[in-house]
Amino acid sequence: MTDSTALTRTFTGTASDGTALTAIYLAQPASRAAIGLIVAGDTLPHIVHWGRPLSDPATLLAAYDALKPQRVSGALDDTAWPTVLPTQAESWIGKPRVVLRRAGIELFPKFTVTGITTEGALEATLDATTGEQYTDVTGRSRTTRPVRVPGVVVTAHDDEQGIGIEWRLELTPGGLVRQKATVTNLSTNPAPLEVGNIELGFPLPESASEILTTTGHHLRERSPQRQPMTIGRFEKPQLAGRPDFDASLLLTAGVPGFGFEHGEAYSVHVGWSGNSVLSAERLPYTQGVIGGGELLFGGEVTLAPQGEGQSSYETPWLFGSFGDGLNEIAARFHDYVRSRHPRLFVAGRPVLLNTWEAVYFQHDFDTLAALADKAADSGVERFVVDDGWFGSRRDDTSGLGDWQISPDVWPEGPKSLQALADYVHGKGMQFGLWFEPEMVSPDSEVTRNHPDWILSPTAGRLPLQGRSQQVLDLTNPEAFDYIFECMDTLVGDLKIDYIKWDHNKLVTEACSRYSGRPAVHAQTLAVYDIFKKLKERHPGLEIESCSSGGGRVDLGILEYADRIWVSDCVDPVERADIQRYTSLLVPPAMMGEHVGASPAHSTQRATSQELRMAMAFFGHMGIEWNLLKEPEESLAELAVWVDEFKKHRDWFAIDTCVHADSNDPAVRLDGMVMPNRDAAIYRFTQLTTSQTYPAAPVHLPGLDPERTYRVSPLDPSLDLTGLTNGQSTLGWWNEEGVVMTGEALQRYGIRPPSLHPQQAVLFKAVAC
């Protein structure tokens, strides 16, 4: 297939048993991705192809006879062959994936397809109303207008039980598949329809027998773990009101040993910022199914009888990506996220300084103005004031929710917060401010005046506290309006360019005293609504999603957020893998990567300035460091690295992020490759000592094997003084470097400098 445009094709035919077949084929040839469905008779669709484009899409019709299982002894008359939403009516006896109840009684639906439409469209980006065109460093035009994509919409009913389903699937330009379902109460029965669970999925080929997920905790997010795909169910539920630190951004199944560079693999992600689950399941009768969906508490979502109120529930998008290795899988997610924020990727991200680890709660005008001076001298372009500027917030035990500037810390006049914002703007930097809008301190004016605004299981008992705070009920219109008006006013008055939006407490026992129901679902929608309204009111405002660091990282929040804070741990040794596995979902340009102090505040590990700066180089570079206490030589070195970052950041915004596989667990090789593969920058990190001494050659993924490249150190890494334990010179580590083919660099690689543990260097490969 040579057609470079998106394709949607429909074929009809008849199976060998006389069943009428409709096959739908969706393809994005430019991204080498396609998906094929079959509707057999009036049943829900089966996904029968997910992979590279087919040379003859009409052969999809044969997949029904080719894949439909035979009846076997001791089972039902139809052997389980999961559709996109399997039920017991189609012999699925695994964990229920469609849970609906009426008057507390479980329903067992059998859906009959009533319509198939082959069309789909990406929703407009957040700033679609402007109709602006943006041009990136390659000259490529990026638009805010909606983009038509191949898609299919299938409607189905269970008329006896009064349930309707609309299932939608779309294939994005980057080859990412997304599907969602809408459940509608079609009954006039006065008892509402309760939605317990809707879990969508993708079938796996038999060869995908190993699962990769991540686990973690505060200060150690995204730690990889693997296990075989066995018969049974593996799931990663998240019930903290957010994805949380232990969340697996992706659940990936692939051939045993799949890595970043090679190995057929398939990934799913739930684009939702509330409670959710990712799962892999296999019955003795089936191959594996991976998927997920929102997790709902009893009574959280109930659908009114037809014509009497809210009668439909829409699931979050379930995203699917496949590839030959995790690098290709991640590239599809990155392409999608960039499409949601076209303005962010036309140029590199501004270098940021955040005041948290510099001063914590010790705010005053003179200190922060002096810090702003140092920041500007170091090349910083955005200055963000963190927690401690409002109410009684002198520590983390009080004041949260009182979003009024504290006169004790920021008195009116020349040393006010307004004066600081003006001072920062006057130095040519953007001004940012920290908020935690979803939380309140029990010791706060808002709690004393509105105790009913707190999510709690009963009127007389609060949930277990976390960080001396509780969760504000944003599903209560009064609480929502209060928060929005406070933020809206401050953004306007101070001319705030950037909000660091934090979320520090696990959301537990989250019942609304306003509605009398569990409220995680509605709370999540309210958060999205505030993001959206603030951005509509203040064009150009950027908002970071921070949740005790990396506790809320998902494609739901990334529809609105412009950046995520990867982790509260800025120790570069810990960050090596935290950032690597976060980049499976998030483009580095939207990942907050900061240069911190040594020893690191979170681990007390001492590291070199070179390692700390190299580890922040590919992402949205920032500084989390009290520059007022650093010697001039450290500040001069920081300015050199910031200046070097600025030379490359426009490309980093759109580059392909790659990670190399290695048999040596002591090293990491990561890189950013230009879309046309004209050049790449790589980072080699020696985390600990290796069995090989000096370290073995590393291969460089992403290059064009047919071209030649000059490989040489990036300027700030040219001097290895203090970094290396090598006792002779490394032949190519000089300004001239060495010229090799992309094939040789990818297959046999190049010898990195022999570094001490906890050191990193950067080097470039430029096509000759």
Side-chain angles (χ1 to χ4, degrees), residues 168-281:
R168 175 182 293 270
L169 180 139
E170 296 175 352
L171 181 61
T172 72
L176 196 66
V177 183
R178 64 179 192 172
Q179 56 172 301
K180 67 162 51 174
T182 301
V183 180
T184 301
N185 186 2
L186 301 177
S187 175
T188 57
N189 186 321
L193 179 68
E194 180 184 340
V195 181
N197 186 42
I198 301 291
E199 187 175 331
L200 299 166
F202 294 90
L204 294 170
E206 187 276 337
S207 58
S209 59
E210 182 175 272
I211 303 168
L212 169 68
T213 55
T214 58
T215 182
H217 53 72
H218 186 225
L219 307 178
R220 195 177 191 273
E221 300 87 339
R222 323 294 173 230
S223 177
Q225 58 181 10
R226 291 180 184 250
Q227 54 272 318
M229 167 78 82
T230 57
I231 293 176
R233 179 177 170 93
F234 172 85
E235 66 176 19
K236 288 278 289 181
Q238 305 299 331
L239 287 162
R242 64 186 190 187
D244 206 39
F245 315 117
D246 183 44
S248 186
L249 300 187
L250 306 183
L251 183 150
T252 305
V255 298
F258 69 88
F260 284 97
E261 297 176 77
H262 301 294
E264 178 187 355
Y266 303 81
S267 296
V268 288
H269 169 82
V270 178
W272 182 244
S273 309
N275 292 336
S276 65
V277 65
L278 286 171
S279 69
E281 190 164 10

Side-chain angles (χ1 to χ4, degrees), residues 1 9 25 53-57 59:
M1 180 182 294
R9 295 185 182 174
Y25 176 73
L54 298 173
S55 59
D56 185 0
T59 59

Side-chain angles (χ1 to χ4, degrees), residues 114-130:
T114 57
I116 304 171
T117 305
T118 52
E119 63 177 49
L122 284 174
E123 297 173 3
T125 57
L126 193 60
D127 51 357
T129 54
T130 65

Side-chain angles (χ1 to χ4, degrees), residues 159-487:
D159 290 329
E160 283 192 88
Q161 301 199 58
I163 305 166
I165 291 282
E166 180 185 274
W167 177 79
R168 175 182 293 270
L169 180 139
E170 296 175 352
L171 181 61
T172 72
L176 196 66
V177 183
R178 64 179 192 172
Q179 56 172 301
K180 67 162 51 174
T182 301
V183 180
T184 301
N185 186 2
L186 301 177
S187 175
T188 57
N189 186 321
L193 179 68
E194 180 184 340
V195 181
N197 186 42
I198 301 291
E199 187 175 331
L200 299 166
F202 294 90
L204 294 170
E206 187 276 337
S207 58
S209 59
E210 182 175 272
I211 303 168
L212 169 68
T213 55
T214 58
T215 182
H217 53 72
H218 186 225
L219 307 178
R220 195 177 191 273
E221 300 87 339
R222 323 294 173 230
S223 177
Q225 58 181 10
R226 291 180 184 250
Q227 54 272 318
M229 167 78 82
T230 57
I231 293 176
R233 179 177 170 93
F234 172 85
E235 66 176 19
K236 288 278 289 181
Q238 305 299 331
L239 287 162
R242 64 186 190 187
D244 206 39
F245 315 117
D246 183 44
S248 186
L249 300 187
L250 306 183
L251 183 150
T252 305
V255 298
F258 69 88
F260 284 97
E261 297 176 77
H262 301 294
E264 178 187 355
Y266 303 81
S267 296
V268 288
H269 169 82
V270 178
W272 182 244
S273 309
N275 292 336
S276 65
V277 65
L278 286 171
S279 69
E281 190 164 10
R282 183 182 168 204
L283 307 183
Y285 310 99
T286 68
Q287 293 160 213
V289 177
I290 55 174
E294 182 181 12
L295 288 179
L296 296 166
F297 291 117
E300 188 166 4
V301 172
T302 58
L303 306 180
Q306 192 78 336
E308 295 186 20
Q310 181 186 346
S311 60
S312 294
Y313 161 74
E314 185 178 272
T315 72
W317 286 108
L318 174 70
F319 293 85
S321 182
F322 82 93
D324 182 16
L326 293 166
N327 287 337
E328 184 178 7
I329 285 172
R332 300 191 191 283
F333 281 107
H334 294 178
D335 182 86
Y336 175 80
V337 175
R338 290 187 185 109
S339 77
R340 314 311 290 154
H341 297 273
R343 181 178 60 83
L344 295 185
F345 293 95
V346 300
R349 312 303 296 123
V351 178
L352 175 155
L353 183 140
N354 188 65
T355 65
W356 179 242
E357 288 195 3
V359 300
Y360 290 101
F361 290 102
Q362 304 307 307
H363 288 200
D364 66 76
F365 178 89
D366 292 336
T367 299
L368 293 187
L371 185 60
D373 290 339
K374 294 289 187 182
D377 292 343
S378 299
V380 168
E381 298 152 308
R382 177 180 287 165
F383 187 86
V384 182
V385 175
D386 210 291
D387 193 0
W389 56 268
F390 53 91
S392 60
R393 191 72 166 176
R394 307 291 78 77
D395 56 34
D396 64 4
T397 64
S398 72
L400 203 60
D402 297 339
W403 300 112
Q404 293 82 36
I405 298 170
S406 171
D408 297 332
V409 177
W410 297 103
E412 291 292 330
K415 297 196 174 183
S416 65
L417 188 58
Q418 177 73 69
L420 180 68
D422 292 343
Y423 186 79
V424 167
H425 284 135
K427 295 193 75 69
M429 294 186 290
Q430 296 178 2
F431 180 74
L433 197 62
W434 180 94
F435 290 87
E436 192 171 2
E438 297 154 82
M439 306 295 164
V440 293
S441 302
D443 181 10
S444 66
E445 292 303 313
V446 72
T447 297
R448 282 185 281 274
N449 294 330
H450 304 283
D452 56 314
W453 285 7
I454 296 177
L455 291 175
S456 57
T458 69
R461 179 172 67 85
L462 293 175
L464 193 64
Q465 285 189 183
R467 206 188 182 211
S468 301
Q469 60 193 56
Q470 295 289 353
V471 182
L472 190 72
D473 181 6
L474 294 177
T475 72
N476 183 316
E478 292 183 358
F480 180 98
D481 290 345
Y482 163 75
I483 291 296
F484 177 75
E485 288 168 9
C486 287
M487 298 182 74

